[in-house]
Amino acid sequence: MERDSSDEEDDGQHLIHQNDTKPISQNRRRSSLDIEDLDSRAPRKRRPMAKIKRGHLLAVLVALSVVVVVLLFKEHVFGSNERDSTGELMRESELRALFLLRQQRSELRTLWDSALSGSDTFHNASSLSVGNSSAGFSKHVEYGPFFEDVKASIARQMKLNRDIQEVLLLPHKPGNSSVEASGGDKDDVNFGINSYDRCRKVDQNVADRKTIEWEPKPDKYLLAICTSGQMSNHLICLEKHMFFAAVLGRTLVIPSASVDYQFDRVLDIDSINQCVGRKVVVPFKEFAEIKKNHLRIDRFICYFSMPQPCFMDDEHVKKLKDLGISMGKPESPWDEDVKEPKKRTIQDVKAKFTADDNVIAIGDVFFADVEKDWVMQSGGPIAHKCKTLIEPNRLIRLTAQRFVQTFLGKDFIALHFRRHGFLKFCNAKKPSCFYPIPQAADCIKRVVERAHAPVIYLSTDAAESETGLLQMLTFIDGKTVPLVKRPERNSAEKWDALLYRHGLDGDSQVDAMLDKTICALSSVFIGTSSSTFTEDILRLRKDWGSASLCDEYLCQGEESNFIAEGE
C-alpha cells in the first residue's frame, strides 16, 4: 500500500531520533547561545537516512514483485481456465448463431423461390397500376404491388442475414481455416437477390409488338380534327388519327395552329416520317401548298354522333372555313355516344371510313375505343424503327436532360400533382380523385420508402399554400424529401439555354411538354388519376422503356378521407 510523502517524512524523523541520539559531553558545557556555532564547527557525522530510505524502498519493491508474481501465477493457473472456458462458450455461441442464420436463410430461399415462381402470374399487375387508364394500366390482377413488396422484403432480409453471418465469421477467418463462409454472395448472384430492385423497369416485350404498316396511297389525305380538352388530349387524339390513317392508307395532315395547337413547337414532325421510313405526315401549311386552289374536305366523317356531330362546335367550323377550306356537312356512319363509346375493331373502321375521296376529315377520335390493347401497346400499333412516333422534339428532350443533370440526378421520383379546377371534377367521380394534402403526403412517403429516392420533381398547378404544406409533410426518418419545381428563367443557369436561343422559352405549351419530359425520365412516377397529362406521361414512359414497377396514381386504391358536399 502506498503512503503519502508526509507519512514518510515523519517516519524518517522518528528513525533518526532513535538511532542518532548521544549523551552530551561532560568535558564541555554548551550554552544556549552557542548551539548553532558549535554545530557548524563540529565535523558532521554521516547520517544513515539515505541508506534507510533505500532499504525501505527495496523492501517495498520486493513486496510488490512478490504480489505481481502471485497475481500472475494465479492468473496463469486459475484465470487461463476461466478465459478458455469463456472463449469456448463465445465460439460455440457464434457457431450456433451461424447455424440458425443459415437455417433462416434456407427458409427465406424457399420463400424467394416461391416468389419467383409466382412472378409470371403477377407480373402484369405489378408492372403497371390498377385502373382504367388509357395508357394501358393493367386492371385484371389486384395483388401485384403487394406481391412485389413481399419479394422486396424477402430480398432485404436475405441480404441482412448474409451481413450478420459475415460479422460473426470475421473473428474466425484468420485463425480457423475450418470455418467457411456461407457462400451467400455466389448464391445471391445466381438467384438474382443482389440485383433485385423493387422499382425496376418494366419489360415491355417490344419484340412481340403487333404492328400495321403505314403505306399511304398517292394523293389520299386524312385531316385530323381534335377538339376535346387541352394539349394532352390533342396529342392522344393525334396518335389515334395516325392509326386511322395507317388503317385507311392515307397521309395524315397535322392541323393548323389557327384551329389547334402549334404542334411544330413541341413535336418534330419530320422525325415521324424518318421513323416510319416514308412520308406519312405533312403539316397543314405544306398540305395547303400542295392543294393550292382546291383546298377542300371532300368528306367530313364524325366518329361520334352524340351529343353533337364530331364533338365540334360552330366556332371550330368557322376557323376551318377561315383557312380557305370548303367542306360539306359533317356526317356520321353510326350512332356513337362520347359518354358510352363502344369497342370497335379495324374491320369496323375500314367498313365505315373507307372512301375514294382524296381528302377526308375525321373528328374527334379522342374518346374512340378501337383495338385498345393494340393501340396502347408499347411503341404503338404502327411499324417504325424508333421508340415512339409522338414524342417531344429534340430541343425539349435535351433541355429536360440538362435539368435532370443539374437539379435531380439519376434516381428521382416525379409527381404530377393536378389541383387547379380538379376538386369539383374529382368529387363528381366515385371514388373522388382529389385528396387532402396530409393524406397525399402519406401516400407519397410510401412510394419514397419503396424507391429510396432522395428527391421529388413536382409538376403541379397547385397554389404555393398547398405545395408549401405538402413539402412540410413530406419527410422520411425525420429528414425532409425536397420537392423540386422548375425555377423561373435565370441567365446564370444554362440548362434551358437551348429553348431561349431558339425562341421557345415562355411558351406555355413548351413548358408543359418540358414538364412531361422530365417526368418521363424519372426512375419512379406518381400520377394523378383521371388526368390526361398523367396519361401522356405514362405513354412516354412506356414507349421509352422508363416505366417502373413502382409507378402508380397518387393514393391509388385509397378513398379520400374527406369529401366536401356538392353544390
Side-chain angles (χ1 to χ4, degrees):
M1 180 174 177
E2 292 185 1
R3 304 173 64 183
D4 59 35
S5 58
S6 61
D7 290 339
E8 290 178 0
E9 288 176 2
D10 289 342
D11 288 346
Q13 292 295 330
H14 289 310
L15 290 170
I16 293 170
H17 177 73
Q18 292 172 2
N19 295 286
D20 202 36
T21 302
K22 293 183 178 181
I24 299 175
S25 173
Q26 299 296 323
N27 299 325
R28 184 175 180 182
R29 223 182 247 283
R30 289 177 300 177
S31 69
S32 60
L33 297 175
D34 223 281
I35 294 174
E36 288 298 326
D37 188 64
L38 288 171
D39 285 343
S40 61
R41 291 194 303 268
R44 191 177 297 273
K45 187 176 182 179
R46 176 178 291 181
R47 299 165 65 183
M49 180 74 171
K51 184 176 182 181
I52 294 173
K53 280 189 175 180
R54 285 197 297 271
H56 181 65
L57 182 59
L58 182 59
V60 171
L61 289 175
V62 170
L64 288 174
S65 300
V66 171
V67 171
V68 170
V69 170
V70 170
L71 289 176
L72 289 175
F73 179 75
K74 180 181 178 183
E75 175 68 16
H76 176 73
V77 174
F78 302 104
S80 60
N81 290 335
E82 182 179 350
R83 191 165 58 249
D84 290 346
S85 177
T86 302
E88 197 62 35
L89 285 174
M90 289 179 63
R91 177 180 174 79
E92 289 180 7
S93 297
E94 290 171 352
L95 294 177
R96 176 65 177 165
L98 280 169
F99 172 77
L100 293 174
L101 283 169
R102 292 179 183 181
Q103 189 176 35
Q104 179 195 49
R105 190 177 185 82
S106 177
E107 293 178 7
L108 286 171
R109 177 67 52 72
T110 301
L111 285 174
W112 179 259
D113 292 342
S114 299
L116 289 180
S117 65
S119 293
D120 293 339
T121 304
F122 292 98
H123 176 72
N124 290 331
S126 61
S127 63
L128 292 172
S129 307
V130 181
N132 294 317
S133 163
S134 63
F137 272 22
S138 175
K139 62 180 180 180
H140 54 278
V141 183
E142 298 181 358
Y143 299 104
F146 171 76
F147 190 74
E148 286 295 327
D149 287 339
V150 170
K151 289 201 292 185
S153 179
I154 293 173
R156 284 195 299 272
Q157 293 306 313
M158 293 184 77
K159 290 177 184 177
L160 179 61
N161 176 290
R162 181 194 63 202
D163 293 342
I164 295 171
Q165 288 192 53
E166 289 299 319
V167 171
L168 288 172
L169 283 169
L170 192 60
H172 301 283
K173 285 183 178 179
N176 192 342
S177 60
S178 64
V179 180
E180 297 178 357
S182 63
D185 288 344
K186 182 179 179 181
D187 288 343
D188 287 351
V189 171
N190 292 339
F191 284 85
I193 296 168
N194 282 340
S195 61
Y196 183 78
D197 180 8
R198 168 65 180 89
C199 296
R200 62 191 180 279
K201 303 304 179 188
V202 179
D203 183 3
Q204 299 292 345
N205 295 319
V206 178
D208 299 329
R209 190 163 63 98
K210 182 181 179 182
T211 60
I212 182 175
E213 293 291 336
W214 190 355
E215 298 176 334
K217 301 169 187 174
D219 204 31
K220 299 295 181 182
Y221 296 93
L222 168 61
L223 181 60
I225 304 292
C226 298
T227 59
S228 171
Q230 299 183 19
M231 171 68 91
S232 296
N233 296 46
H234 287 230
L235 290 174
I236 294 172
C237 172
L238 201 61
E239 184 182 33
K240 291 184 178 181
H241 267 296
M242 289 182 177
F243 182 54
F244 275 64
V247 171
L248 300 174
R250 291 178 174 271
T251 300
L252 183 67
V253 180
I254 305 296
S256 167
S258 299
V259 297
D260 209 325
Y261 290 101
Q262 196 168 351
F263 290 109
D264 60 353
R265 290 178 70 83
V266 296
L267 304 177
D268 189 346
I269 295 173
D270 287 337
S271 72
I272 298 174
N273 294 323
Q274 293 169 7
C275 290
V276 176
R278 61 184 67 89
K279 192 154 190 174
V280 292
V281 296
V282 294
F284 182 83
K285 184 178 180 180
E286 183 178 338
F287 169 73
E289 291 175 355
I290 293 173
K291 290 299 181 181
K292 292 184 179 177
N293 298 326
H294 193 64
L295 198 58
R296 174 180 174 79
I297 296 175
D298 300 317
R299 190 177 178 190
F300 204 139
I301 309 172
C302 296
Y303 188 94
F304 290 99
S305 57
M306 296 178 285
Q308 60 196 49
C310 290
F311 205 63
M312 185 172 64
D313 56 21
D314 294 337
E315 183 180 355
H316 197 89
V317 173
K318 182 179 181 304
K319 288 180 178 179
L320 287 172
K321 290 182 177 180
D322 288 345
L323 287 172
I325 300 176
S326 61
M327 67 189 81
K329 185 178 180 181
E331 60 183 270
S332 182
W334 51 34
D335 292 332
E336 189 81 3
D337 192 342
V338 168
K339 296 180 180 179
E340 297 179 0
K342 299 181 179 68
K343 291 185 180 295
R344 304 291 186 175
T345 65
I346 285 181
Q347 288 71 29
D348 294 331
V349 172
K350 286 181 177 180
K352 299 297 183 180
F353 295 91
T354 297
D356 292 331
D357 304 275
N358 288 340
V359 181
I360 68 171
I362 301 178
D364 175 323
V365 298
F366 171 73
F367 294 101
D369 186 357
V370 179
E371 304 282 8
K372 179 177 283 188
D373 292 341
W374 192 358
V375 171
M376 295 302 166
Q377 64 187 333
S378 177
I382 298 170
H384 59 82
K385 58 185 178 182
C386 301
K387 290 184 177 179
T388 185
L389 291 180
I390 295 184
E391 64 180 359
N393 64 42
R394 180 167 173 76
L395 291 176
I396 294 176
R397 294 200 308 274
L398 287 175
T399 301
Q401 291 170 11
R402 291 180 177 186
F403 180 86
V404 171
Q405 183 178 0
T406 302
F407 294 100
L408 303 172
K410 175 177 173 289
D411 296 318
F412 71 97
I413 295 172
L415 168 64
H416 173 225
F417 194 50
R418 172 73 187 274
R419 301 295 277 185
H420 182 69
F422 224 48
L423 176 58
K424 183 178 178 181
F425 171 81
C426 278
N427 282 357
K429 294 179 171 292
K430 302 296 180 186
S432 173
C433 49
F434 194 92
Y435 298 91
I437 296 293
Q439 184 178 0
D442 286 341
C443 297
I444 293 166
K445 286 190 287 188
R446 286 198 293 270
V447 178
V448 173
E449 288 174 339
R450 240 184 247 136
H452 303 290
V455 66
I456 298 173
Y457 177 68
L458 180 61
S459 172
T460 186
D461 55 5
E464 189 66 33
S465 57
E466 293 185 70
T467 58
L469 178 58
L470 185 66
Q471 176 64 90
M472 289 175 60
L473 296 174
T474 306
F475 55 86
I476 300 294
D477 297 330
K479 296 181 180 179
T480 299
V481 182
L483 302 179
V484 179
K485 293 193 291 186
R486 275 190 304 108
E488 297 294 330
R489 171 160 176 77
N490 185 334
S491 59
E493 297 175 0
K494 300 302 180 184
W495 62 269
D496 59 349
L498 286 174
L499 298 184
Y500 177 75
R501 288 205 303 267
H502 289 82
L504 295 176
D505 62 308
D507 186 318
S508 61
Q509 298 309 319
V510 172
D511 288 343
M513 186 61 84
L514 179 58
D515 253 17
K516 285 183 182 179
T517 309
I518 295 171
C519 289
L521 294 173
S522 65
S523 51
V524 173
F525 174 63
I526 306 171
T528 296
S529 177
S530 301
S531 166
T532 53
F533 191 93
T534 282
E535 300 306 320
D536 206 34
I537 293 170
L538 292 172
R539 176 188 65 82
L540 280 175
R541 290 177 64 77
K542 173 168 54 71
D543 292 352
W544 285 353
S546 59
S548 162
L549 292 177
C550 293
D551 288 359
E552 63 177 49
Y553 296 122
L554 179 66
C555 293
Q556 182 174 292
E558 290 187 27
E559 293 190 8
S560 176
N561 62 28
F562 187 90
I563 300 176
E565 295 180 2
E567 295 180 45

